[in-house]
């Protein structure tokens, strides 16, 4: 089900301490709004305390304040729902805090009140620009309209104090942790979860259509309630156990990541195509999973005829799945070759015979949906970064070893699409001018002696016409001399290429995909030492097998399609 309401915690989720909303987060929030998502804030702060962020975002929705105790309307500046702490409970919290030597304050209107001046309270009120009153009589009064009480202490004391307060007020007051060093007290049952439920009901939005993101236990009820709940990497461990997704930290724009990868894509059907020199694979995809896929031989009469084949293949797949073409939100196409993704043009795909082809528009006019056109290795790298073997890396690479050699580079958390938008063609680095002819028209490219096709050819040469890379590897494992010699030579080649790639970007990790990755650990074991010896750097580079197998390109193309 598509997301219709998104609730964002502010501190250490949407912003880092004292900071502003980043450009990336702002851009993603704007995209979500354009897609019709009701984007709202759900914070432990009061209305005034949240006003700077409300302004930065240009929010014109309801806002959950005081950890769910109050819901305000940013258009009228009035509350639409408010709960209060019982006066007896307030006095007990203040007494107990006093007994433990802790600073506690309560909220009255948008300001705070404490018994004695305290540096924590002064710092807090200055940071949020809140009115601050010191009232020595605070424990003698009967209080009304107090949405929450707050203890501020040293961050490292919270884990020891939280259970103490929880036990003491069990069944009477809701106690949770929010920002580092903060212990919050609300009326029992008043939490961000019940508040988001209130807003969803008010707007006629179903629970399954809601999404929420936060970082601390003050967010746990809303994360449990939401159809999809996420926690930022810097968040609390308890929350990570209950969240549906763990996304990058607040410092690394986790909110934007959540919006782009979960909120905007949830429940949407997409079509992905992986066009290869022999086959075209089409997949119907939902929530980054392939529902069903089909394969047909690649055939080219004209550029138009390939686009038409994609369309026909998709229609029969949709029909088999009982789905209507109109329900498809976007289409992603990946191809082996140099692609100008922003212009939607295949520059040179030698194996497909496509050159300077405005292929994206040929596909688009048939489907009448947004289409992304991308290089197959770039698409696979994106998918492995978002869902697979390269997750959590900022600078890494995916090498596909198949008919050709494809290289997808991840630099600073993004797939690098080439300085002039034509991609990365590292399989066509020429290392031997007098070497064998390459499909690209040159000679001695890395691809000519590192691809799986090269290994197939070498296998046939030593083991006979029926042999291929797979049978060669079996023979190597049995210790057959001729096969072992070929394997040594081949792994020298591949390891040499990888070591050279490492020297260019010093990646945190390399993942190997494509047909030959089926050889798994045996392949990695055979090249690891050779790569380490060959690379400039003394520290070994982790090399792993890609996990999405042959689906990586298709899934990555679908992820790209979200961005067009
Ligand atoms: C192409 C690349 C492609 C790779 C893997 C190479 O021959 O030039 O663009 O990524 O094969 O398919």
């Amino acid at each position: 089900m598509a997301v219709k309401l998104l609730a964002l915690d502010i501190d250490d989720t949407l912003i880092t301490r004292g900071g502003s909303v980043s450009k990336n987060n702002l851009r993603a929030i704007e995209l979500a709004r354009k897609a019709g998502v009701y984007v709202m804030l759900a914070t432990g702060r009061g209305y005034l305390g949240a006003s700077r962020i409300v302004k930065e975002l240009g929010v014109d929705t309801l806002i959950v304040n005081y950890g769910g105790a109050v819901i305000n309307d940013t258009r009228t500046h009035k509350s639409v729902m408010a709960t209060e702490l019982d006066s007896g409970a307030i006095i007990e919290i203040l007494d107990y805090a006093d007994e433990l030597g802790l600073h506690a304050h309560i909220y009255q209107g948008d300001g705070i009140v404490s018994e004695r001046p305290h540096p924590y309270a002064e710092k807090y009120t200055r940071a949020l620009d809140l009115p601050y009153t010191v009232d020595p009589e605070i424990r003698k009064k009967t209080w009304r309209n107090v949405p929450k009480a707050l203890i501020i202490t040293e961050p490292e004391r919270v884990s020891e104090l939280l259970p103490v307060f929880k036990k003491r007020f069990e069944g009477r007051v809701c106690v949770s942790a929010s920002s580092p060093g903060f212990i919050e007290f609300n009326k029992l049952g008043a939490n961000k979860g019940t508040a988001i439920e209130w807003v969803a009901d008010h707007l006629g939005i179903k629970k399954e259509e809601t999404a929420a993101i936060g970082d601390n236990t003050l967010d746990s009820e809303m994360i449990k309630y939401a159809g999809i709940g996420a926690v930022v990497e810097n968040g609390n461990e308890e929350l990570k156990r209950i969240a549906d997704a763990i996304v990058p930290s607040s410092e690394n724009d986790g909110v934007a990541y959540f919006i782009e990868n979960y909120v905007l894509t949830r429940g949407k059907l997409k079509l992905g195509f992986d066009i290869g020199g022999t086959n075209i694979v089409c997949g119907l995809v939902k929530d980054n999973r392939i529902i069903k896929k089909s394969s047909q031989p690649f055939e080219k009469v004209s550029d138009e005829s390939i686009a038409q084949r994609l369309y026909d293949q998709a229609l029969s797949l949709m029909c088999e799945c009982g789905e209507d073409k109109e329900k498809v939100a976007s289409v992603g196409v990946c191809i082996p070759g140099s692609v100008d993704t922003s212009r939607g043009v295949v520059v040179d795909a030698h194996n497909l015979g496509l050159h300077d082809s405005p292929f994206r528009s040929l596909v688009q006019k048939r489907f009448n949906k947004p289409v992304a056109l991308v290089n197959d290795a770039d698409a696979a790298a994106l998918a492995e970064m978002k869902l697979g073997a390269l997750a959590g890396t900022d600078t890494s690479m995916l090498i596909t070893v198949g008919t050709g050699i494809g290289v997808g580079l991840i630099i600073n958390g993004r797939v690098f699409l080439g300085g002039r938008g034509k991609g990365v063609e590292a399989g066509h680095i020429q290392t031997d001018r007098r070497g064998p002819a390459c499909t690209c028209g040159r000679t001695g490219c890395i691809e000519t002696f590192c691809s799986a096709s090269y290994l197939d050819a070498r296998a046939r040469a030593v083991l006979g016409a029926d042999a291929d890379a797979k049978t060669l590897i079996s023979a190597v494992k049995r210790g057959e001399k001729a096969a072992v010699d070929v394997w040594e030579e081949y792994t020298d080649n591949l390891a040499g290429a990888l070591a050279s790639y490492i020297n260019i970007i010093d990646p945190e990790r390399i993942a190997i995909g494509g047909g030959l990755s089926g050889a798994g650990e045996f392949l990695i074991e055979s090249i690891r030492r050779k790569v380490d010896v060959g690379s400039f750097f003394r520290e070994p580079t982790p090399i792993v097998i890609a996990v999405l197998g042959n689906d990586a390109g298709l899934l990555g193309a679908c992820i790209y399609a979200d961005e067009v």
Side-chain angles (χ1 to χ4, degrees):
M1 240 180 213
V3 172
K4 293 197 179 149
L5 183 157
L6 167 63
L8 308 172
D9 168 52
I10 298 180
D11 294 291
D12 301 308
T13 302
L14 177 62
I15 60 168
T16 48
R17 188 46 50 98
S20 302
V21 185
S22 71
K23 281 206 185 96
N24 267 345
N25 283 346
L26 278 176
R27 185 185 44 79
I29 289 168
E30 205 37 49
L31 279 180
R33 284 186 182 140
K34 278 200 193 130
V37 180
Y38 187 89
V39 184
M40 63 178 297
L41 295 167
T43 175
R45 298 187 188 192
Y47 190 66
L48 194 59
S51 60
R52 180 175 61 84
I53 305 299
V54 167
K55 272 199 209 102
E56 278 184 35
L57 291 184
V59 171
D60 60 354
T61 57
L62 297 177
I63 171 170
V64 171
N65 293 115
Y66 295 121
V70 178
I71 302 172
N72 286 298
D73 191 329
T74 59
R75 290 154 298 190
T76 60
H77 310 293
K78 295 211 168 81
S79 62
V80 291
M81 194 283 294
T83 60
E84 59 177 330
L85 274 172
D86 165 74
S87 189
I90 294 172
I91 308 302
E92 193 179 337
I93 294 164
L94 295 171
D95 281 346
Y96 197 35
D98 195 55
E99 206 179 305
L100 298 174
L102 298 165
H103 162 75
H105 63 242
I106 61 171
Y107 290 74
Q108 189 62 174
D110 253 325
I112 72 165
V113 188
S114 75
E115 189 168 16
R116 289 177 289 272
H118 194 282
Y120 279 150
E122 278 152 17
K123 194 171 163 211
Y124 176 79
T125 47
R126 252 198 324 274
L128 297 184
D129 203 11
L130 300 179
Y132 177 26
T133 319
V134 172
D135 183 351
E137 304 290 296
I138 189 170
R139 283 196 268 160
K140 299 202 182 101
K141 291 189 172 161
T142 303
W143 289 96
R144 294 293 321 274
N145 300 322
V146 173
K148 86 168 182 184
L150 180 67
I151 285 177
I152 307 183
T153 181
E154 292 75 37
E156 55 283 4
R157 291 196 64 191
V158 172
S159 54
E160 143 228 345
L161 288 169
L162 190 65
V164 174
F165 279 98
K166 278 194 165 178
K167 185 151 190 287
R168 165 89 180 230
F169 291 96
E170 198 176 349
R172 297 189 292 136
V173 176
C174 168
V175 185
S176 41
S178 60
S179 297
F182 286 23
I183 300 177
E184 314 227 348
F185 300 83
N186 287 124
K187 181 185 164 74
L188 199 67
N191 56 57
K192 291 192 189 183
T194 48
I196 297 302
E197 186 174 2
W198 190 97
V199 176
D201 284 349
H202 177 75
L203 298 172
I205 292 173
K206 297 193 190 101
K207 177 177 163 33
E208 308 82 71
E209 295 169 329
T210 62
I213 177 165
D215 73 305
N216 218 322
T217 62
L218 191 66
D219 303 308
S220 52
E221 298 305 321
M222 96 171 161
I223 283 171
K224 274 189 224 154
Y225 168 79
I228 176 147
V231 58
V232 280
E233 181 63 48
N234 51 298
N236 167 287
E237 291 306 316
E238 188 188 315
L239 216 57
K240 288 185 182 168
R241 280 191 286 278
I242 57 168
D244 301 298
I246 301 171
V247 299
S249 66
S250 53
E251 222 170 290
N252 292 316
D253 302 332
V255 166
Y257 186 93
F258 181 50
I259 292 177
E260 283 161 13
N261 296 287
Y262 293 89
V263 174
L264 292 177
T265 63
R266 189 160 162 85
K268 286 196 184 141
L269 278 182
K270 292 177 208 168
L271 280 166
F273 292 94
D274 188 345
I275 310 184
T278 42
N279 286 307
I280 302 176
V281 179
C282 170
L284 185 62
V285 174
K286 191 172 173 180
D287 294 336
N288 289 329
R289 272 193 286 271
I290 297 179
I291 299 173
K292 198 170 169 80
K293 60 181 177 179
S294 69
S295 175
Q296 66 163 325
F298 174 80
E299 243 178 61
K300 183 193 169 197
V301 178
S302 63
D303 299 8
E304 289 273 2
S305 77
I306 306 174
Q308 187 59 39
R309 280 179 80 87
L310 298 190
Y311 184 67
D312 294 341
Q313 184 175 1
L315 283 193
S316 25
L317 184 67
M318 302 281 297
C319 179
E320 278 174 46
C321 297
E323 291 288 1
D324 174 9
K325 157 179 159 290
E326 283 319 307
K327 276 170 60 193
V328 169
S330 56
V331 180
V333 180
C334 73
I335 65 133
S338 160
V339 178
D340 187 331
T341 295
S342 63
R343 289 196 305 129
V345 170
V346 178
V347 183
D348 280 306
H350 300 282
N351 288 337
L352 309 183
L354 289 172
H355 302 280
D356 295 321
S357 169
F359 196 66
R360 183 177 65 197
S361 66
L362 305 186
V363 177
Q364 203 151 22
K365 75 178 184 203
R366 288 172 166 84
F367 285 93
N368 208 12
K369 302 279 174 196
V371 176
L373 181 70
V374 63
N375 167 270
D376 55 1
D378 290 342
L382 181 68
E384 292 290 348
M385 175 179 76
K386 301 267 182 185
L387 317 165
L390 298 178
T393 62
D394 266 342
T395 303
S396 53
M397 54 206 304
L398 175 85
I399 320 287
T400 61
V401 185
T403 313
I405 291 283
V407 177
L409 294 186
I410 290 163
I411 297 180
N412 297 333
R414 298 198 147 253
V415 178
F416 178 68
L417 293 176
R420 289 178 296 161
K422 296 185 189 60
V424 170
E425 284 295 340
H428 295 281
I429 293 175
Q430 193 183 41
T431 56
D432 181 2
R433 275 174 74 83
R434 294 192 202 98
C438 182
T439 50
C440 71
R442 285 165 216 93
T443 48
C445 296
I446 282 179
E447 182 167 303
T448 60
F449 47 86
C450 288
S451 63
S453 322
Y454 169 75
L455 190 58
D456 285 339
R458 295 289 292 130
R460 284 194 295 276
V462 292
L463 300 177
D466 290 339
D468 60 9
K470 213 169 163 187
T471 45
L472 180 112
I473 290 171
S474 307
V476 177
K477 287 181 181 163
R478 289 194 302 272
E480 286 176 29
K481 168 97 174 64
V484 171
D485 288 348
V486 168
W487 185 244
E488 284 303 318
E489 177 231 293
Y490 173 75
T491 49
D492 280 350
N493 299 345
L494 185 61
L498 295 190
S500 303
Y501 294 158
I502 287 171
N503 291 353
I504 300 172
I505 66 160
D506 181 21
E508 292 159 57
R509 196 180 304 154
I510 291 185
I512 307 224
L516 199 71
S517 66
E521 270 310 299
F522 181 72
L523 172 65
I524 303 289
E525 281 311 313
S526 310
I527 57 172
R528 189 171 275 138
R529 203 185 49 81
K530 295 183 181 184
V531 174
D532 290 343
V533 170
S535 103
F536 177 86
F537 306 109
R538 259 173 284 138
E539 195 187 344
T541 305
I543 307 175
V544 296
I545 291 288
V547 298
L548 299 171
N550 289 334
D551 296 335
L554 194 157
L555 287 171
C558 285
I559 300 175
Y560 264 110
D562 287 330
E563 294 175 10
V564 291

